[in-house]
Amino acid sequence: MYTLFDPIQAGDLRLANRIVLAPLTRNRAPDAIPTPLMAEYYAQRASAGLLITEATAISQQGQGYADVPGLYGTEQLDGWKRVTESVHDAGGKIIVQLWHVGRVSHTELQPGGAPPVAPSAITAKTKTVLIRHGVPAFVETSAPRALDADELPGIVHTYQAAARNAVETAGFDGVEIHGANGYLLDQFLKSGSNQRTDDYGGSIENRARLLLEVMRAVTGAVGGGRTGIRLSPVTPANDAFDADPQPLFEYVVRQLATLHLAYIHIIEGATGGPRELPERPFDYAALKTAYRTAGGKGAWMVNNGYDGKLAEKAIANGADLVAFGKTFLANPDLVERLRRNAPLNVPDKTTFYGGGARGYTDYPALSK
Ligand code: 8OZ
């Protein structure tokens, strides 16, 4: 039986242990450019088997929040290169989470002040973060416009170009496609946000089409073994809702099984909240079985509210990797603390989004 501390092969990635830094939005990248402080933050956490970066926009249209990083300009790529070098120097592996927010945005962040884009012109009942008078402010998202079908190949191409730049220019070990939390690809997947009547709406096959086109394009460019995907079958985050998620997500993972991915990353329950939602039941074991039965060999990564004990149980029950969010944010040496069963620093919510080093790079490690 494996433990959290055993190495594992995930696609092309040889990981030193099964503990993963979950993607965490921190809003510390002014003008969408990664900073040296971000390099320090990620390098501090390099003892993880794998670091997944905060969500990173593939285009300005894909931006939805103040001070989140991008991966579409030269300075952004240069900034990320410093991050990947710091992590590699510290002996870690790091992949970037590629993000298009779709409707979860605001005209102020969009090219030319245009409306955000979405599968259908339905406003998300959620807020985004803008900077107002120098401080972060929660603001209602803007009404989106529905994408024309002839715009979709451009979006697929933009994901592909970002993936290629991530690996070839910025030095990432791979990419994770953000298919979760009510952003563009999840908006296409789910019936609550997708009311299209073309080939990208209606049936499960149609709603999954864009996500699968993106995954084929990205794996074609950087290799399946360097590609992962994050999915959140039942999260209510950002007004996400599907009327019948079990067959939808089982279809998606069966299709993904043919792409020889590094891993599939599943958020169980409500992102950052309860692991069980009585009004949104979901059978995660059946999802994993659907993937394995279809021949999927990627690592199975689980996330949401794990502590060391629950994580060991998940590994014993056949999960391959466990992603830790808030716990890892507050404990740069989480791997060592879990190994020693040491006490944990408590995360400070007031410094999650925006600001500088405080609540970011100043959480103490255990003394040696
Ligand atoms: C918190 C704040 C802003 C964005 C996600 C990228 O939920 C996010 C996010 C989280 O996936």
Side-chain angles (χ1 to χ4, degrees), residues 3-298:
T3 77
L4 282 172
F5 309 100
D6 289 314
I8 186 169
Q9 188 76 28
D12 293 352
L13 308 173
R14 183 77 193 160
L15 308 181
N17 58 62
R18 297 163 189 239
I19 298 167
V20 176
L21 172 69
L24 295 165
T25 290
R26 305 304 305 273
N27 307 73
R28 281 166 167 86
D31 302 320
I33 300 168
T35 65
L37 190 66
M38 287 167 59
E40 185 184 339
Y41 163 80
Y42 284 109
Q44 284 177 341
R45 288 158 180 75
S47 57
L50 182 66
L51 305 176
I52 305 170
T53 71
E54 62 210 277
T56 298
I58 59 167
S59 62
Q60 196 190 334
Q61 186 192 70
Q63 289 276 14
Y65 301 81
D67 295 346
V68 295
L71 194 74
Y72 48 90
T74 309
E75 288 175 283
Q76 297 167 358
L77 287 165
D78 289 348
W80 279 124
K81 179 125 186 84
R82 281 196 300 270
V83 173
T84 62
E85 282 169 357
S86 302
V87 170
H88 291 151
D89 286 349
K93 294 241 159 66
I94 182 165
I95 68 165
V96 63
Q97 193 193 46
L98 297 181
W99 194 27
H100 189 309
V101 297
R103 66 181 182 164
V104 185
S105 187
H106 194 279
T107 53
E108 276 182 35
L109 299 168
Q110 289 292 307
V117 299
S120 303
I122 307 166
T123 306
K125 289 182 206 67
T126 188
K127 293 192 171 164
T128 181
V129 179
L130 302 178
I131 303 291
R132 288 276 158 80
H133 314 291
V135 290
F138 287 93
V139 179
E140 299 286 338
T141 54
S142 304
R145 74 171 173 87
L147 283 158
D148 285 337
D150 66 9
E151 293 177 274
L152 300 177
I155 289 184
V156 172
H157 184 260
T158 305
Y159 274 101
Q160 186 184 46
R164 196 175 270 131
N165 283 333
V167 171
E168 290 176 7
T169 306
F172 282 106
D173 297 294
V175 300
E176 173 176 293
I177 300 304
H178 196 341
N181 293 346
Y183 298 111
L184 184 71
L185 299 175
D186 199 30
Q187 290 160 30
F188 269 85
L189 282 180
K190 290 179 179 165
S191 61
S193 41
N194 184 343
Q195 295 180 359
R196 299 177 73 93
T197 54
D198 62 5
D199 288 349
Y200 292 86
S203 65
I204 283 175
E205 289 78 1
N206 282 356
R207 283 181 279 129
R209 191 176 308 281
L210 182 65
L211 176 136
L212 293 171
E213 287 177 351
V214 166
M215 292 303 290
R216 285 186 206 108
V218 166
T219 55
V222 304
R226 290 185 179 276
T227 306
I229 185 168
R230 195 176 207 212
L231 300 169
S232 56
V234 297
T235 192
N238 294 311
D239 204 14
F241 174 74
D242 189 80
D244 196 8
Q246 194 77 40
L248 170 63
F249 282 88
E250 289 186 13
Y251 171 79
V252 168
V253 298
R254 282 199 308 271
Q255 298 301 307
L256 293 173
T258 64
L259 296 179
H260 310 293
L261 300 179
Y263 66 83
I264 295 194
H265 180 181
I266 302 292
I267 301 172
E268 297 158 337
T271 315
R275 293 178 41 77
E276 302 272 356
L277 301 173
E279 69 288 9
R280 297 186 183 204
F282 194 85
D283 185 343
Y284 297 97
L287 185 67
K288 179 162 174 256
T289 299
Y291 179 61
R292 294 284 182 239
T293 305
K297 297 197 166 44

